[in-house]
Amino acid sequence: MSLPTLRQLAMQSLLEDQALAISALDVLPLDLFSTLFREVVAKRRMEVLKAMVQAWPFACLPLGALVGSADLEILQVTLEGLDVLLEQGAGPRCKLQVLDLQNMSMNIWTSGYIAISQACSAAALTDKPAANHCADLKEEPPFRIFMDVTISDGPWDCVLAHMLQWVKTRREQVQLCSKKLKVLFASTSQIRSTLRVLHLDSIQELVVNVSWHHKTVESMVPYLAQMKNLRMLSLATRKIVYSCILENLHEYFSEMMLQETHQTDKCEGFFHYKKLDEVFSQLKHLRLRTVNLGDLGPGPLQALLERVSGTLEALALEHCGITEAQLSAILPSLSQCSQLSFFSICGNRMSLAALQNLLNHTARLRQLQRGLYPAPVESYDHKCLLYGCEVNKERFAQVCVSLVQILRNLQPAHKVQICTYTCISCKKNQFYSLAPSGNWVVTEQYAFTRKSNYCGFCAQE
């Protein structure tokens, strides 16, 4: 056996004597600080942990990369250390500005002192997307906490509940920021209680997978309107019970405009484009899946596409009941989305003529790499009024012949895939691509079940 180094002996001594470890923090070499912190967390030396939080010599403490977001005891002790900082102020050595609870790779803790000092420096923080969320605030609180938040049904996650309560009582001193927010089958009261505490400007990705009543959607829209740095919006519901999120945005912005002009009567047809631009002008990913848009006029979606045309990179409108009239109305706006690299409109009824018109527009998008399109209605038996029927092989073969000629004429630069819908007998969906030989071949297929969560975004890679 090799003898332990002096460094290892010193670390062992500090871990065995908590009082000694706490007293040594002011003179502990910086290259030992992160190593000691890891050992303190692993051996659950809580008093030392609390003291180290108060003496942390870097701008950010990436605790999430070390313990994840499920260790309530570690979180409680960390927050106790922060309480001391907030009440008494930081000591001469402490530079802590951000507590990062996001789940990240542990490489930041295992790559050595230089790596963690660079990753946790103030300069590095300004370059991280998560640190730019609050950059536009005039009066920014002195401390920020970042964590990925998921609101789900049943008993609240104890870590999230504890964090919300802690931040709620320290609103003037702390901001709770979340780059990624997921709402999964939660009650309205849960959602509101969380959103009231979160710094909504920090949210860049929002995933909503819950069936909301019309009134619930209306109550959520004002919160959505405050998410001014939103990059990705995903709305999905297994039960198609609403089609009003965009329509309610329309009404909400109209009411805001009316308030600004001191009018009292509701203007049904007015749409305040400037307000829409302020909220969604940076949106990069928009996914609407099984959200019924069939009864919604094209105006809100058309206006939204116009406003995000310079930033939108991925757009999925899947199983939304979009009519050909709606599609025709939004095509000019879609053609302006110059940064679009992925597009999916699977699951919507569409004739061959409508598909040809759509391809004629998407073929002009130079950044588009992949497009998922529905098999036209001519591919199915006439008696099949709803998708879920098995594709008629003979009809589909004839459609494919026509599509070959259409694509040869258009010569789109992106990969075109045609999706057939759920087969009642085999319960599979298939994606067809045009091979160099001129034949259509199945390049992907997946089982379509009630639990299936397939969407175009998942297949981009």
Side-chain angles (χ1 to χ4, degrees):
M1 290 178 55
S2 59
L3 293 175
T5 64
L6 289 176
R7 179 189 294 261
Q8 292 170 334
L9 290 173
M11 194 70 63
Q12 181 180 348
S13 177
L14 292 173
L15 291 171
E16 291 176 352
D17 189 336
Q18 293 196 109
L20 175 63
I22 294 173
S23 65
L25 291 179
D26 288 338
V27 295
L28 188 71
L30 289 181
D31 59 344
L32 290 181
F33 224 93
S34 59
T35 304
L36 178 62
F37 192 91
R38 287 174 54 195
E39 294 298 323
V40 164
V41 169
K43 292 181 167 53
R44 320 293 289 189
R45 302 291 194 265
M46 296 305 178
E47 289 301 318
V48 182
L49 172 60
K50 182 164 63 175
M52 292 196 75
V53 171
Q54 301 169 47
W56 188 250
F58 309 110
C60 175
L61 174 55
L63 188 61
L66 186 60
V67 299
S69 58
D71 197 321
L72 179 59
E73 184 182 16
I74 292 293
L75 175 63
Q76 289 174 329
V77 173
T78 302
L79 295 181
E80 289 175 8
L82 292 180
D83 273 331
V84 177
L85 286 179
L86 296 174
E87 293 173 5
Q88 301 178 8
R93 202 175 200 191
C94 182
K95 297 180 181 179
L96 190 57
Q97 302 172 22
V98 172
L99 174 62
D100 194 342
L101 299 176
Q102 299 172 110
N103 292 319
M104 300 181 295
S105 170
M106 258 204 68
N107 290 341
I108 192 174
W109 287 97
T110 58
S111 300
Y113 158 72
I114 296 179
I116 196 169
S117 63
Q118 291 177 343
C120 297
S121 67
L125 286 177
T126 59
D127 293 332
K128 291 172 64 176
N132 278 331
H133 299 161
C134 316
D136 60 342
L137 291 182
K138 295 181 179 179
E139 297 181 1
E140 184 178 348
F143 199 86
R144 291 171 291 167
I145 299 176
F146 292 101
M147 66 184 300
D148 295 332
V149 175
T150 298
I151 311 173
S152 59
D153 201 6
W156 277 24
D157 175 78
C158 57
V159 171
L160 177 59
H162 184 81
M163 177 61 72
L164 291 174
Q165 184 60 36
W166 189 85
V167 173
K168 188 176 180 180
T169 60
R170 297 162 179 82
R171 288 182 180 273
E172 300 301 321
Q173 298 172 290
V174 179
Q175 282 184 343
L176 179 59
C177 303
S178 178
K179 179 182 177 182
K180 299 179 181 179
L181 173 62
K182 294 183 179 180
V183 182
L184 308 177
F185 306 104
S187 66
T188 304
S189 60
Q190 276 183 297
I191 299 170
R192 286 179 177 173
S193 298
T194 304
L195 294 181
R196 286 169 184 162
V197 178
L198 281 177
H199 179 56
L200 300 180
D201 256 2
S202 69
I203 299 172
Q204 293 188 345
E205 299 182 17
L206 173 62
V207 176
V208 178
N209 188 16
V210 59
S211 297
W212 278 342
H213 186 270
H214 182 91
K215 294 296 183 182
T216 307
V217 176
E218 288 181 350
S219 66
M220 293 299 111
V221 168
Y223 295 104
L224 181 62
Q226 297 179 54
M227 301 177 189
K228 296 183 179 180
N229 288 305
L230 199 63
R231 303 291 193 276
M232 174 179 173
L233 172 62
S234 175
L235 304 176
T237 173
R238 301 195 187 286
K239 295 181 180 179
I240 306 176
V241 297
Y242 68 90
S243 61
C244 54
I245 189 74
L246 293 175
E247 188 173 22
N248 275 281
L249 281 174
H250 176 160
E251 295 177 1
Y252 175 71
F253 294 126
S254 298
E255 291 174 2
M256 287 182 65
M257 181 59 177
L258 291 176
Q259 292 174 4
E260 291 179 359
T261 56
H262 305 288
Q263 298 181 27
T264 56
D265 295 330
K266 186 175 181 181
C267 180
E268 290 289 342
F270 184 78
F271 197 89
H272 188 17
Y273 296 99
K274 291 184 179 179
K275 288 293 182 183
L276 187 63
D277 182 37
E278 290 176 9
V279 177
F280 287 117
S281 63
Q282 302 181 78
L283 193 67
K284 291 186 178 181
H285 300 264
L286 175 62
R287 174 200 174 197
L288 301 179
R289 188 170 190 262
T290 64
V291 177
N292 185 15
L293 302 177
D295 298 327
L296 178 66
L301 184 57
Q302 182 179 359
L304 176 58
L305 291 179
E306 289 176 356
R307 289 299 169 183
V308 300
S309 60
T311 59
L312 195 64
E313 297 176 2
L315 173 63
L317 305 171
E318 300 177 333
H319 302 273
C320 291
I322 294 177
T323 65
E324 292 190 6
Q326 288 174 314
L327 178 63
S328 179
I330 67 172
L331 283 180
S333 302
L334 180 64
S335 300
Q336 298 176 28
C337 297
S338 57
Q339 302 303 310
L340 199 65
S341 62
F342 173 83
F343 173 65
S344 175
I345 196 167
C346 292
N348 298 286
R349 291 179 61 85
M350 190 179 302
S351 67
L352 180 60
L355 177 58
Q356 181 176 0
N357 190 24
L358 173 60
L359 288 168
N360 187 48
H361 283 76
T362 56
R364 305 170 190 170
L365 297 174
R366 298 305 177 191
Q367 300 298 322
L368 190 61
Q369 299 177 13
R370 187 182 185 207
L372 307 182
Y373 304 91
V377 294
E378 291 87 349
S379 306
Y380 299 85
D381 292 327
H382 293 303
K383 62 182 179 180
C384 178
L385 300 179
L386 297 174
Y387 287 129
C389 300
E390 184 174 0
V391 67
N392 184 305
K393 295 182 178 179
E394 294 181 359
R395 289 179 176 274
F396 184 58
Q398 295 174 359
V399 168
C400 287
V401 172
S402 300
L403 285 174
V404 169
Q405 188 59 49
I406 291 172
L407 294 179
R408 284 177 177 171
N409 293 337
L410 294 176
Q411 295 184 347
H414 68 282
K415 179 181 180 181
V416 173
Q417 290 184 282
I418 305 298
C419 175
T420 59
Y421 299 100
T422 309
C423 164
I424 292 179
S425 58
C426 63
K427 297 187 183 303
K428 288 184 179 179
N429 285 36
Q430 296 178 320
F431 287 87
Y432 288 82
S433 299
L434 187 60
S437 63
N439 297 321
W440 289 91
V441 295
V442 176
T443 52
E444 297 176 48
Q445 69 178 16
Y446 66 96
F448 189 87
T449 66
R450 292 183 61 86
K451 296 183 179 180
S452 174
N453 193 34
Y454 180 90
C455 86
F457 283 144
C458 304
Q460 285 186 74
E461 298 300 329

